[in-house]
Amino acid sequence: KTIVMAQLIAWHVLNKVANNKDARFSKNILIVAPGLTVKNRLAVLNPSDPNNYYEEFNVVPSGLMDGLRQGKMKIINWHMLSWDSQAKLDNKIEKGQLRTVDKRKKTEISDEAYVREILGDMASASNLIVINDEAHHAWRIPAESKIKGIKKEDIEESTVWVGGLDRIHRSRGILRCFDLSA
């Protein structure tokens, strides 16, 4: 599955580098993982990583690696898509106050502020390619829904994941979204 992700990234970035005006492709890649362990494992998708899959599995000929490195990539776990994720990361929430997915007061921030928080140094990127790893965790179901046999926490998680991508799309545009699951 990770090699397929590498192929998708290479296809888009190298085609965009070859023809910058071609709107079908993008050099801006956002990868969303289901947790920190998977997020760390996906570092091999960064062309600058010494163990990158592009070279290790000959996904891209060595002569095209410089072109591939022109792409911008950010790998996050889905928790970053929660509105209070940055406060958690910055330790602005006292220990013991951390709550499960989005059970705090709803403090709305603009889509622009949200995107800047989530994308960081890629905040000005537009027309992103999104790759959802373990995408079966992301559903479009209202958080207040009750579905027999599915835990409320799983419904809330899926809503945060997809809702976060909706906000990014409204603000920056998502050109393509690839959902992959094993």
Side-chain angles (χ1 to χ4, degrees):
K1 182 173 64 171
T2 306
I3 293 171
V4 171
M5 291 180 199
Q7 292 170 328
L8 287 168
I9 292 166
W11 174 257
H12 277 276
V13 171
L14 292 173
N15 274 293
K16 190 64 171 182
V17 166
N19 185 357
N20 196 36
K21 299 213 185 292
D22 194 330
R24 297 176 296 168
F25 304 104
S26 178
K27 293 192 287 186
N28 303 308
I29 312 294
L30 175 64
I31 302 169
V32 185
L36 292 174
T37 302
V38 176
K39 175 187 178 261
N40 293 335
R41 182 184 54 79
L42 293 176
V44 296
L45 293 173
N46 185 335
S48 299
D49 188 281
N51 299 315
N52 76 72
Y53 274 21
Y54 309 99
E55 292 172 306
E56 186 172 332
F57 292 100
N58 295 315
V59 173
V60 173
S62 59
L64 295 177
M65 284 302 295
D66 285 339
L68 186 59
R69 288 187 187 101
Q70 291 180 35
K72 293 180 186 176
M73 181 182 308
K74 181 145 183 121
I75 304 171
I76 64 172
N77 70 40
W78 75 268
H79 300 85
M80 287 291 298
L81 298 171
S82 177
W83 290 303
D84 65 346
S85 60
Q86 196 60 48
K88 286 179 187 176
L89 291 175
D90 293 342
N91 294 318
K92 292 178 185 170
I93 297 176
E94 298 293 322
K95 192 172 185 169
Q97 286 185 311
L98 290 179
R99 300 181 179 126
T100 58
V101 180
D102 205 20
K103 288 186 180 174
R104 64 194 152 53
K105 288 183 182 177
K106 300 287 186 190
T107 305
E108 283 296 319
I109 60 172
S110 70
D111 287 346
E112 181 63 29
Y114 177 83
V115 168
R116 289 195 178 283
E117 178 182 310
I118 301 301
L119 296 181
D121 60 352
M122 261 184 59
S124 62
S126 61
N127 295 326
L128 290 104
I129 299 297
V130 173
I131 298 175
N132 291 316
D133 190 12
E134 301 298 332
H136 60 272
H137 292 287
W139 319 326
R140 187 172 300 284
I141 296 175
E144 63 276 358
S145 292
K146 290 185 173 131
I147 302 172
K148 194 172 187 170
I150 299 178
K151 292 185 229 168
K152 183 179 178 191
E153 296 82 26
D154 291 339
I155 294 171
E156 289 173 350
E157 174 184 321
S158 67
T159 302
V160 169
W161 188 326
V162 173
L165 294 178
D166 286 344
R167 293 186 83 176
I168 292 169
H169 180 62
R170 283 193 303 265
S171 187
R172 293 293 184 272
I174 293 176
L175 183 62
R176 300 265 185 277
C177 186
F178 298 99
D179 294 340
L180 289 95
S181 287

